[in-house]
């Protein structure tokens, strides 16, 4: 598993991986587990995935990003298993020569991940109850 | 060897294919299993595979009639024709991030 990790995401390491003397702009999107105003007593999320397809689809998404922004370098990690509120569940980090490419490529990869990568989440409540949660695709509703 | 293969292949039923069907998250929970092998008619489509699955597993009717589907780890449309040995996956609404 290249992209799925079962321990805390090391964002500093990802930034280091996309850095080079030629890349002056780095953009990072960090998605964290949250408790929204209507979510109830959520203490964490349990992530599951179709692991082989996650790898296949993220390979393709990053390859397409490389076609559009050839000088950018992209790293993606997504948590699997239980993640507590405030912990990072996903990180997309892009290094590019300038900020415009870095922001654009980062946004592209995040949106494609949301739409194409088979990952599911089940909220864990204070009571121990679990409930499946459907992701929304609206970027405005995400942090 | 070539003759043997020809003979062997003629012994298999040319009218059916075998497809590995995987279920995830809520769908696996609904039917109580995460993998089913389906025997389908040759040239069966994704939609036909889903219909057979819904009829052949407990509570299969609770699965959506037109779920998001992947074939061999690629997103697929309902009309895609399946081949022997394909892996089909029923994907609940994605929720990564």
């Amino acid at each position: 598993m290249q992209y799925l990790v079962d321990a805390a995401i090391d964002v500093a390491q990802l930034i280091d991986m996309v850095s080079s003397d030629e890349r002056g702009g780095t953009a990072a999107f960090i998605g964290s587990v949250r408790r929204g105003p209507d979510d109830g007593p959520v203490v964490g999320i349990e992530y599951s995935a179709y692991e082989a397809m996650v790898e296949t689809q993220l390979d393709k998404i990053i390859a397409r990003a490389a076609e559009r922004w050839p000088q950018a370098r992209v790293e993606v990690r997504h948590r699997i298993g239980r993640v507590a509120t405030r912990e990072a569940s996903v990180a997309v980090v892009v290094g590019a020569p300038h900020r415009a490419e870095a922001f654009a490529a980062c946004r592209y990869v995040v949106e494609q991940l949301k739409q194409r990568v088979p990952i599911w989440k089940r909220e864990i409540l204070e009571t121990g109850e679990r409930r499946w949660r459907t992701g929304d695709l609206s970027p405005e509703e995400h942090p | 060897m070539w003759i043997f293969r020809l003979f062997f292949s003629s012994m298999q039923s040319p009218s059916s294919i075998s497809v590995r069907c995987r279920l995830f998250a809520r769908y696996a929970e609904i039917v109580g299993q995460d993998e089913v092998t389906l025997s389908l008619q040759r040239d069966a489509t994704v939609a036909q595979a889903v219909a057979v699955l819904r009829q052949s597993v407990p509570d299969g009717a609770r699965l959506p009639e037109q779920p998001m589907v992947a074939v061999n780890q690629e997103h697929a449309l309902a009309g895609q024709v399946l081949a022997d040995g394909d892996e089909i996956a029923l994907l609940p609404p994605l929720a990564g991030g």
Side-chain angles (χ1 to χ4, degrees):
Chain A
M1 294 193 299
Q2 182 183 351
Y3 304 112
L4 294 171
V5 294
D6 59 7
I9 297 171
D10 187 344
V11 177
Q13 183 189 40
L14 299 180
I15 291 172
D16 189 53
M17 290 171 74
V18 303
S19 297
S20 77
D21 292 350
E22 294 76 32
R23 300 187 195 109
T26 302
F29 171 81
I30 314 297
S32 304
V33 172
R34 65 172 183 150
R35 177 166 50 202
D38 303 320
D39 292 341
V42 174
V43 294
I45 286 180
E46 203 171 64
Y47 287 92
S48 61
Y50 180 6
E51 296 183 4
M53 186 171 169
V54 169
E55 302 289 321
T56 303
Q57 292 300 313
L58 278 171
D59 278 347
K60 292 180 75 165
I61 291 166
I62 291 172
R64 284 194 209 106
E67 286 173 11
R68 291 179 65 170
W69 299 279
Q71 293 174 295
R73 166 84 192 270
V74 179
E75 287 293 336
V76 178
R77 297 292 183 276
H78 199 295
R79 288 286 299 272
I80 196 87
R82 183 172 177 155
V83 184
T85 47
R86 300 182 65 177
E87 272 191 70
S89 55
V90 61
V92 176
V93 181
V94 179
H98 306 287
R99 67 186 184 281
E101 302 106 284
F103 279 131
C106 187
R107 178 70 177 258
Y108 172 82
V109 172
V110 171
E111 299 303 332
Q112 288 290 301
L113 183 154
K114 291 264 178 198
Q115 292 172 28
R116 306 190 63 81
V117 177
I119 295 173
W120 300 280
K121 56 186 169 191
R122 195 158 55 162
E123 289 177 336
I124 306 164
L125 307 183
E126 274 174 2
T127 57
E129 184 191 345
R130 284 162 162 75
R131 64 185 180 200
W132 293 106
R133 185 72 186 230
T134 302
D136 63 76
L137 299 177
S138 165
E140 279 67 35
E141 293 181 30
H142 284 280
Chain B
M1 180 61 81
W2 183 82
I3 293 171
F4 173 76
R5 281 185 181 158
L6 191 65
F7 174 75
F8 183 74
S9 65
S10 71
M11 296 290 286
Q12 294 177 314
S13 168
S15 61
S16 69
I17 59 171
S18 179
V19 171
R20 180 187 184 201
C21 181
R22 301 187 63 185
L23 297 121
F24 293 92
R26 194 166 59 82
Y27 294 168
E29 206 170 74
I30 287 172
V31 303
Q33 50 195 323
D34 57 15
E35 189 174 326
V36 180
T37 299
L38 298 176
S39 181
L40 304 169
Q41 64 181 31
R42 197 174 60 171
D43 297 331
T45 63
V46 164
Q48 289 166 331
V50 171
V52 169
L53 175 74
R54 293 179 77 246
Q55 291 173 357
S56 53
V57 295
D59 284 328
R62 290 177 57 206
L63 297 171
E65 291 180 28
Q66 297 177 311
M68 186 185 300
V69 171
V71 175
N72 301 330
Q73 300 167 22
E74 296 291 348
H75 292 280
L77 298 174
Q80 180 170 329
V81 174
L82 297 169
D84 190 45
D86 277 350
E87 178 177 281
I88 177 173
L90 269 63
L91 309 177
L94 308 182

